[in-house]
């Protein structure tokens, strides 16, 4: 498939409104407390009967210092002692959940996210992986996709080698911006040496894929300063790049009130930065995967997209569509069979439930047939920018034009604007519509109309 993008300023300006990122459908907002651990057990038993590989997600929430832009689920503390009781509970949760999943189900994908996973000591990380190996069937042929989020400021000599020995083969480094003034304004001081020495160590020790996280729209950023950050990043040739749009929601994320709003780039400057990023990364040979993600053409994500095998889950884009996703630790979200499940959000409740040998389920949602159908449509569009009606009709026994008559009417003005082409066979998103893929997916979101748009960040 053609993986190009066209940056149409006029279109982007017109379509710039708040919307979900569709790492799931229904989005996490639909999870409710009526879903209990009993429901979760029922879904696990059902998914065991269907079988298939697993994907495991571990949430490690601690951070040593806070970055003022941060919208992640984190606990900021200088006290390293906090990690030990959390780790013990996590190991107990692994044992509890491990007893419920069939041992024949191979773990094809594993991810440690945060917070900052390397807040744990090397020995603690070893303990966590050991507990996982004891209760789940991990691959030992290095063919799984085992990834970890790394804050280069929290990575000491030897950590990368230890992580490789534990079985990790993919790494994602948080950078955001190298400009000293921007770093000061967001309270994240991180040198190039720190960053690139971690990347070199990852390559030396045989990590297969390196990703770098950047954010555009941070205070004091300009096209010129962000372009200089890109120069440095491109020279290091990461396999993947995530260039996130800064989501400034100070009502929801209190720490963002530390950011001086007068320092935030204007919408015009943000768009100019985005345009520059798109141009420069394409010139440098990266392809646009979708939703802030770029990859080298020989990276697995780019290949999976060309082959029609890309998938999207809570960690972003992925090549493992067939896996049930099992979440561990506070705030983690899983998808098992036809349900999404979220764990409790605070340490005290987590500790209490684990001590009572209860699964720490907080919320969940059971997908009905309409949810599954819309999820298939949205996933296909957001991963591949095209949708074949016949494939959906066959899978869900519907007549697409009939079932989605309202949605097709809403898509027509988008077609007139050049975002997509509608035909009797399907939808093809145009290179100018790719940066606005969220808007196209939003048309198929049954819940969105009921929501106040403020709950989501802007599209661009
Ligand atoms: C859990 S952090 C990555 C690991 C590690 N804690 C670090 O910062 O290096 C995940 C990523 O989310 C992104 N992020 C956090 N807050 C954001 C926000 N408000 N808007 C956009 N991206 C954000 C950052 O790019 C960050 O690297
Ligand atoms: S960006 Fe990473 S290091 Fe910074 S506060 Fe958020 S989770 Fe912690």
């Amino acid at each position: 498939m053609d993986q190009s993008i066209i940056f149409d300023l006029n279109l982007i300006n017109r379509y710039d409104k708040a919307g979900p990122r569709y790492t799931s459908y229904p989005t996490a907002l639909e999870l409710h407390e009526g879903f209990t651990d009993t429901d979760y057990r029922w879904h696990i038993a059902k998914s065991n009967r269907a079988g298939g590989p697993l994907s495991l997600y571990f949430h490690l929430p601690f951070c040593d210092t806070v970055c003022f832009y941060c919208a992640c689920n984190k606990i900021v503390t200088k006290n390293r002692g906090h990690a030990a009781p959390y780790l013990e509970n996590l190991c107990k949760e692994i044992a509890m959940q491990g007893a419920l999943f069939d041992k024949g189900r191979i773990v094809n994908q594993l991810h440690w996210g945060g917070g900052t996973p390397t807040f744990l000591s090397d020995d603690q990380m070893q303990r966590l992986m050991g507990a996982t190996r004891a209760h789940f069937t991990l691959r030992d042929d290095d063919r799984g996709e085992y990834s970890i989020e790394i804050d280069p400021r929290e990575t000491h000599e030897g950590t990368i080698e230890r992580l490789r020995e534990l079985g990790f083969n993919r790494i994602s480094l948080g950078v955001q911006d190298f400009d000293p003034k921007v770093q000061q304004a967001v309270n994240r001081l991180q040198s190039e040496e720190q960053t690139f020495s971690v990347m070199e160590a990852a390559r030396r020790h045989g990590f297969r894929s390196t990703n770098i996280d950047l954010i555009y729209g941070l205070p004091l950023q300009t096209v010129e300063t962000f372009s200089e950050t890109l120069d440095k990043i491109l020279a290091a040739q990461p396999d993947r790049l995530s260039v996130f749009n800064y989501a400034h929601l100070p009502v929801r994320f209190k720490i963002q009130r530390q950011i001086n709003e007068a320092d935030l780039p204007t919408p015009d400057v943000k768009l100019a930065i985005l345009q520059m990023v798109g141009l420069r990364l394409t010139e440098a040979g990266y392809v646009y995967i979708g939703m802030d993600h770029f990859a080298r053409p020989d990276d697995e994500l780019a290949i999976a997209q060309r082959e029609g095998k890309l998938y999207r889950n809570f960690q972003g884009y992925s090549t493992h569509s067939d896996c049930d996703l099992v979440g561990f630790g506070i705030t983690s979200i899983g998808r098992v069979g036809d349900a999404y499940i979220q764990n409790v959000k605070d340490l005290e409740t987590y500790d209490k439930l684990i001590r009572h040998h209860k699964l720490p389920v907080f919320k969940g949602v059971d997908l009905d047939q309409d949810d599954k159908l819309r999820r298939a449509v949205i996933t296909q569009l957001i991963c591949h920018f095209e949708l074949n009606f016949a494939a959906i009709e066959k899978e869900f026994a519907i007549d697409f034009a009939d079932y989605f008559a309202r949605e097709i009417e809403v898509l027509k003005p988008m077609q007139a604007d050049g975002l997509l082409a509608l035909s009797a066979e399907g939808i093809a998103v145009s290179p100018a519509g790719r940066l606005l893929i969220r808007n196209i997916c939003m048309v198929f979101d049954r819940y969105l109309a009921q929501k106040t748009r403020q709950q989501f960040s802007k599209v661009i």
Side-chain angles (χ1 to χ4, degrees):
M1 68 171 276
D2 166 20
Q3 290 174 306
S4 63
I5 41 169
I6 290 179
F7 190 94
D8 186 325
L9 197 63
N10 176 34
L11 272 186
I12 292 173
N13 264 323
R14 279 180 41 215
Y15 280 89
D16 187 18
K17 61 178 176 182
R21 300 174 52 77
Y22 294 114
T23 50
S24 70
Y25 179 83
T27 67
L29 292 172
E30 301 313 317
L31 273 58
H32 58 84
E33 292 177 45
F35 186 102
T36 66
D37 61 321
T38 311
D39 298 313
Y40 184 32
R41 284 172 195 274
W42 185 86
H43 281 279
I44 296 173
K46 188 169 167 227
S47 90
N48 279 337
R49 288 195 289 279
L54 296 177
S55 172
L56 310 183
Y57 173 75
F58 299 84
H59 192 71
L60 300 155
F62 303 105
C63 295
D64 178 78
T65 55
V66 70
C67 312
F68 293 158
Y69 57 79
C70 186
C72 303
N73 286 312
K74 67 208 170 285
I75 295 169
V76 181
T77 174
K78 293 267 179 224
N79 181 355
R80 301 273 153 171
H82 280 150
Y86 182 71
L87 179 65
E88 287 319 303
N89 282 335
L90 200 51
C91 290
K92 287 181 190 151
E93 188 191 356
I94 293 167
M96 259 193 275
Q97 292 216 56
L100 301 173
F101 284 92
D102 277 353
K103 290 289 171 294
R105 304 184 70 178
I106 310 288
V107 177
N108 271 351
Q109 197 180 31
L110 177 148
H111 185 80
W112 287 7
T116 306
T118 50
F119 185 92
L120 302 186
S121 69
D122 289 356
D123 288 346
Q124 287 174 324
M125 292 195 277
Q126 184 157 6
R127 162 119 173 82
L128 178 55
M129 195 59 112
T132 310
R133 261 183 208 288
H135 297 282
F136 286 89
T137 309
L138 299 196
R139 298 191 76 115
D140 45 25
D141 57 3
D142 206 29
R143 288 179 59 203
E145 190 180 296
Y146 291 4
S147 55
I148 178 164
E149 289 168 19
I150 293 280
D151 179 344
R153 300 168 304 162
E154 274 286 332
T155 315
H156 53 81
E157 187 74 35
T159 300
I160 298 298
E161 188 176 359
R162 293 288 291 274
L163 290 171
R164 185 74 185 104
E165 283 162 12
L166 289 182
F168 288 102
N169 50 30
R170 283 170 175 71
I171 205 164
S172 177
L173 307 184
V175 174
Q176 329 312 346
D177 193 310
F178 277 136
D179 186 88
K181 289 200 195 75
V182 177
Q183 292 196 351
Q184 194 82 48
V186 299
N187 196 39
R188 182 178 179 122
L189 304 182
Q190 177 175 335
S191 72
E192 290 150 48
E193 298 76 65
Q194 262 173 332
T195 309
F196 295 126
S197 70
V198 172
M199 209 162 141
E200 275 155 30
R203 290 201 166 128
R204 214 171 39 248
H205 293 292
F207 277 82
R208 280 211 296 280
S209 176
T210 14
N211 175 77
I212 285 191
D213 285 348
L214 299 175
I215 304 182
Y216 74 94
L218 291 178
L220 303 175
Q221 268 178 353
T222 66
V223 174
E224 292 71 32
T225 62
F226 203 64
S227 184
E228 282 165 23
T229 292
L230 273 192
D231 287 337
K232 293 166 186 163
I233 298 289
L234 288 175
Q237 300 189 311
D239 302 284
R240 298 177 189 176
L241 270 165
S242 309
V243 190
F244 296 115
N245 172 13
Y246 172 46
H248 187 63
L249 301 164
V251 175
R252 210 166 124 198
F253 305 110
K254 292 198 177 56
I255 192 64
Q256 294 184 348
R257 295 176 197 167
Q258 300 293 323
I259 285 182
N260 182 0
E261 293 197 347
D263 289 342
L264 290 174
T266 61
D268 283 352
V269 172
K270 265 185 97 171
L271 279 181
I273 296 177
L274 179 65
Q275 183 169 28
M276 180 274 293
V277 168
L279 263 173
R280 293 210 51 196
L281 295 189
T282 320
E283 270 168 21
Y286 287 84
V287 293
Y288 179 65
I289 300 296
M291 293 293 301
D292 320 316
H293 292 276
F294 296 82
R296 302 184 73 79
D298 56 352
D299 184 85
E300 278 177 12
L301 282 189
I303 296 170
Q305 186 172 56
R306 285 198 295 276
E307 292 178 349
K309 294 179 187 157
L310 198 63
Y311 189 67
R312 192 162 164 80
N313 66 15
F314 292 104
Q315 281 100 60
Y317 288 99
S318 143
T319 55
H320 291 273
S321 62
D322 49 352
C323 292
D324 275 334
L325 171 65
V326 189
F328 302 88
I330 57 169
T331 73
S332 68
I333 304 185
R335 183 194 61 78
V336 172
D338 294 325
Y340 291 110
I341 312 96
Q342 181 166 36
N343 270 356
V344 294
K345 292 189 169 177
D346 65 283
L347 289 177
E348 294 71 30
T349 319
Y350 184 66
D351 181 63
K352 198 167 130 206
L353 289 169
I354 299 280
R355 266 192 289 121
H356 288 87
H357 308 288
K358 285 200 77 171
L359 288 174
V361 173
F362 172 41
K363 294 182 192 182
V365 64
D366 217 331
L367 273 64
D368 64 21
Q369 192 61 11
D370 177 77
D371 293 329
K372 287 186 252 178
L373 164 58
R374 288 170 190 274
R375 178 174 65 178
V377 169
I378 288 172
T379 305
Q380 179 62 27
L381 284 169
I382 210 163
C383 290
H384 297 108
F385 300 121
E386 58 191 13
L387 182 78
N388 178 266
F389 293 159
I392 294 287
E393 287 175 335
K394 188 164 168 234
E395 191 179 345
F396 292 93
I398 56 147
D399 179 288
F400 198 96
D402 188 36
Y403 196 97
F404 289 114
R406 184 196 66 82
E407 286 78 357
I408 288 172
E409 283 309 307
V410 182
L411 289 177
K412 283 183 182 163
M414 292 185 162
Q415 169 166 251
D417 282 339
L419 267 68
L420 52 91
L422 273 168
S423 69
E425 282 75 45
I427 302 167
V429 180
S430 66
R434 289 181 187 176
L435 286 169
L436 297 165
I437 189 64
R438 267 208 246 193
N439 299 67
I440 298 170
C441 293
M442 281 153 73
V443 173
F444 290 94
D445 184 338
R446 179 161 62 100
Y447 301 94
L448 197 61
Q450 308 151 11
K451 300 273 172 249
T452 51
R453 293 279 159 88
Q454 273 84 332
Q455 295 186 73
F456 302 107
S457 57
K458 285 285 193 75
V459 173
I460 296 296

